[in-house]
């Protein structure tokens, strides 16, 4: 076996958002300390570090949007803001002693599987290393997506994405365009509307918006959750249970969402009295097809005299003039894109090269697919946290993350049980069977039948992001690794690892 030239670790984790920090905690609690966490920035937090725009907050209740193994009795609100969530992740990092494992400013430039030695060769901005296993927690909401608009490069004003907010640019008194009406935009618009001269919202598709039942958590609640932890657990379980009951309407019986849609329509009618504006803001698709948004201030902000809603996408930029697809022209000083992220084409996939010499992006060119949302065929000992078909439409992604961390730990147990230098490569037949079942179940979900075009769908119109079931079901199917779904690889002198020939044939 060739002598390694670089540092070697058992596990390399990519990213320090909820997924990466959660993985690090679970590894330490399992007694595994031979690991590193590779972070491209200079601090932890993932999407809750990068998204610092005005009004940034979570749309899942705080007591559910936190780790079960790291409860926080001091959440200030039902729906806490970005500063509090980021502070929570910093606290988790310190409480569980994760900082010695984290390599900051270590952007992963490439990860390549060594088929002879059965380990990953990783190049980062801080140098090279090798790892027996890679856990990618880069996250689907990490790389902003700005549409390729003709003339945008020549726009003389300020341009930035909501996920990379420019805090040095003063919007006061400016003519501002908000492009997009997703989860970020509906939080930004009410915050900047009072200070800008004029705000033009480019709305390609109106979202369904429900009231936001937010409030401060009282001192009595804080005291109760601190002194009697069982009450905190009960609160979390109630929040979880109520959302589990809702999932059937999204995944099996979309017609049941009619009641929720009526509530959303009533919310719109109460807030917007102008019939013409209300017509622009009324969606023509079933609620739930796109992410349901929560806000009490978005509609009132749109009704203010200094706000215009253009019911069309941005088509072209001519100097300071923005031209919409319907021909509307607007002069602005700044453009803010709230146009989402690279979800179905995650950039990290272009940097990971598997056993066949192809990148994960190349393997996923016709659509992402991974066994149990974690393992892609041809990428041994490589797991993705929040991988294909693990997204949720109405509850906390932390539940999915923790389920996948259970799978990660059992994966390592299986490697230990097999002994020696060993790798597991998901069988293509198992990946295809899993994906086929998911896609069959997806056919009756509101995301596929609701009549909208959303970021849940990839370029081929296939839903490769959402999980068509309950979080309890996902936890069950990821409780342990089924070794029969994997090819066991072992090194052998002078050639490919044992088992690789059969695996390559199966992939082909």
């Amino acid at each position: 076996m060739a002598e390694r030239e670089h540092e070697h670790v058992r596990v390399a984790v990519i990213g320090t958002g909820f997924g990466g920090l959660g993985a690090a905690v679970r590894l330490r609690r399992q007694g595994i300390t031979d690991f590193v966490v590779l972070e491209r920035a200079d601090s932890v937090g993932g999407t809750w570090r990068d998204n610092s725009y005005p009004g940034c907050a979570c749309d899942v209740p705080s007591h559910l949007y936190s780790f079960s193994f790291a409860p926080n009795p001091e959440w200030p609100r039902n729906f806490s803001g970005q500063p509090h969530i980021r502070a929570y992740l910093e606290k988790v990092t310190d409480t569980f002693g994760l900082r010695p494992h984290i390599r900051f400013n270590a952007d992963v430039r490439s990860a390549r599987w060594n088929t002879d030695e059965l380990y990953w060769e990783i190049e980062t901005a801080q140098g090279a290393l090798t790892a027996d296993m890679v856990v990618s927690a880069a996250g689907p909401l990490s790389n902003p997506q700005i549409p390729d608009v003709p003339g945008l490069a020549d726009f003389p004003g300020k341009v930035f994405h909501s996920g990379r907010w420019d805090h040095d640019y003063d919007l006061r008194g400016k003519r501002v365009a908000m492009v997009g009406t997703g989860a970020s935009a509906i939080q930004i618009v009410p915050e900047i509307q009072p200070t800008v001269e004029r705000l033009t919202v480019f709305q390609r598709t109106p979202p369904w918006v429900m009231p936001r039942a937010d409030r401060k958590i009282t001192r009595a609640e804080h005291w109760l959750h601190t002194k009697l932890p069982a009450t905190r657990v009960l609160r979390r379980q109630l929040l979880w249970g109520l959302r589990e009951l809702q999932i059937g309407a999204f995944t099996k019986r979309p017609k049941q969402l009619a009641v929720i849609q009526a509530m959303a329509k009533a919310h719109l009618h109460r807030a917007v009295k102008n019939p013409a504006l209300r017509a622009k803001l009324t969606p023509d698709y079933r609620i739930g097809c796109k992410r349901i948004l929560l806000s009490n201030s978005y509609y009132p902000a749109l009704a203010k005299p200094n706000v215009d809603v253009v019911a069309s996408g941005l088509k072209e930029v001519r100097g300071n003039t923005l031209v919409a697809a319907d021909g509307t022209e607007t002069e602005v000083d700044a453009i803010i894109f709230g146009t989402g992220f690279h979800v179905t084409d995650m950039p990290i996939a272009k940097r990971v090269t598997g056993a066949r010499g192809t990148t994960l992006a190349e393997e996923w060119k016709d659509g992402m697919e991974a066994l149990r949302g974690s393992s892609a065929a041809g990428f041994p000992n490589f797991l993705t946290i929040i991988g294909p078909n693990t997204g949720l439409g109405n509850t906390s992604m932390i539940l999915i993350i923790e389920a996948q961390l259970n799978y990660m730990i059992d994966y390592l147990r299986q490697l230990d049980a097999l002994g020696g230098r060993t790798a597991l490569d998901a069988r293509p037949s198992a990946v295809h069977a899993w994906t086929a079942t998911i896609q069959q179940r997806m056919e009756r979900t509101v995301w596929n039948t609701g009549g909208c075009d959303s970021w849940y769908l990839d370029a081929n119109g296939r839903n490769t992001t959402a999980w068509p079931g309950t979080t309890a079901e996902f936890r069950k199917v990821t409780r342990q690794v089924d070794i029969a779904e994997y090819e066991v690889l072992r090194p052998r002198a002078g050639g490919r690892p044992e088992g690789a020939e059969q695996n390559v044939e199966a992939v082909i």
Side-chain angles (χ1 to χ4, degrees), residues 121-178:
E121 299 170 341
I122 306 166
E123 295 286 340
T124 81
Q126 293 292 332
L129 71 153
T130 56
D132 294 334
M133 181 176 179
V134 171
V135 178
S136 176
L141 304 181
S142 57
N143 290 79
Q145 180 168 265
I146 294 180
D148 185 15
V149 180
L152 180 62
D154 298 322
F155 177 69
K158 190 68 178 178
V159 179
F160 55 89
H161 190 278
S162 61
R164 299 291 185 271
W165 193 270
D166 189 338
H167 291 276
D168 294 328
Y169 183 76
D170 190 355
L171 292 172
R172 286 178 296 181
K174 301 294 197 304
R175 300 167 300 174
V176 179
M178 180 77 235

Side-chain angles (χ1 to χ4, degrees), residues 8-9 39 41 68-70 80 118 121 202 212 223 318 353 368 464 503:
H8 182 81
V9 294
E39 170 54 55
S68 62
F69 51 77
S80 294
L118 298 187
E121 299 170 341
F202 286 80
R212 185 180 181 86
W223 181 89
R318 300 174 188 162
T353 303
M368 301 188 300
T464 58
N503 191 48

Side-chain angles (χ1 to χ4, degrees), residues 121-253:
E121 299 170 341
I122 306 166
E123 295 286 340
T124 81
Q126 293 292 332
L129 71 153
T130 56
D132 294 334
M133 181 176 179
V134 171
V135 178
S136 176
L141 304 181
S142 57
N143 290 79
Q145 180 168 265
I146 294 180
D148 185 15
V149 180
L152 180 62
D154 298 322
F155 177 69
K158 190 68 178 178
V159 179
F160 55 89
H161 190 278
S162 61
R164 299 291 185 271
W165 193 270
D166 189 338
H167 291 276
D168 294 328
Y169 183 76
D170 190 355
L171 292 172
R172 286 178 296 181
K174 301 294 197 304
R175 300 167 300 174
V176 179
M178 180 77 235
V179 181
T181 52
S184 299
I186 74 156
Q187 294 179 344
I188 293 168
V189 166
E191 293 293 320
I192 67 174
Q193 174 271 319
T195 62
V196 302
E197 177 186 320
R198 188 141 212 94
L199 177 60
T200 303
V201 178
F202 286 80
Q203 172 193 269
R204 188 174 59 180
T205 309
W208 282 109
V209 181
M210 291 286 288
R212 185 180 181 86
D214 191 22
R215 64 171 177 81
K216 287 184 177 180
I217 295 177
T218 65
R219 287 185 180 180
E221 289 172 283
H222 285 150
W223 181 89
L224 193 64
H225 293 334
T226 301
K227 301 298 182 182
L228 297 173
T231 62
R232 187 180 61 227
V233 174
L234 178 61
R235 183 175 189 154
R236 181 184 175 92
Q237 289 297 104
L238 287 173
L239 289 169
W240 169 76
L242 288 172
R243 280 157 179 76
E244 288 288 275
L245 292 174
Q246 299 168 359
I247 290 174
F250 287 83
T251 60
K252 298 177 182 178
R253 300 173 293 276

